[in-house]
Amino acid sequence: MKLNDDDSLGRQHSGEASLSGGFGNPTGGQFELIGNTLVATIDVPEGEGNLGFLVITARADNGTLGRGIFDYANGSAPNEGDAMFGANGGC
């Protein structure tokens, strides 16, 4: 996941988010840091005009993301799990 921290959502530590790999063909999204919690939402086109959303939350501390969780919201069965961040095998 790539975050562009430019305060563009009207609050400090917010902006564009993007994700490559997995979950179909994700487009862009947005993120914000609320206290010590990162919340990112990535749009995922599902075809036929439908759109799903990958929602990722993780603890943030001094520029480092800790272990988090994700949920894929798309109007059907839930799909959630752990989200790991870092240089090797991270999200």
Side-chain angles (χ1 to χ4, degrees):
M1 183 165 55
K2 182 177 180 179
L3 307 175
N4 181 22
D5 188 1
D6 61 3
D7 305 336
S8 63
L9 297 182
R11 63 182 297 142
Q12 187 178 16
H13 302 305
S14 65
E16 236 178 88
S18 59
L19 182 67
S20 60
F23 286 96
N25 296 311
T27 58
Q30 59 189 25
F31 85 94
E32 54 189 314
L33 195 61
I34 303 169
N36 286 343
T37 303
L38 168 80
V39 179
T41 306
I42 307 292
D43 304 340
V44 182
E46 296 186 326
E48 297 183 26
N50 296 324
L51 189 62
F53 299 94
L54 180 60
V55 180
I56 302 167
T57 60
R59 185 125 176 103
D61 187 22
N62 292 323
T64 302
L65 295 178
R67 190 174 183 138
I69 59 172
F70 73 90
D71 189 14
Y72 185 63
N74 67 350
S76 63
N79 184 0
E80 69 277 334
D82 292 334
M84 307 247 315
F85 297 90
N88 294 321
C91 180

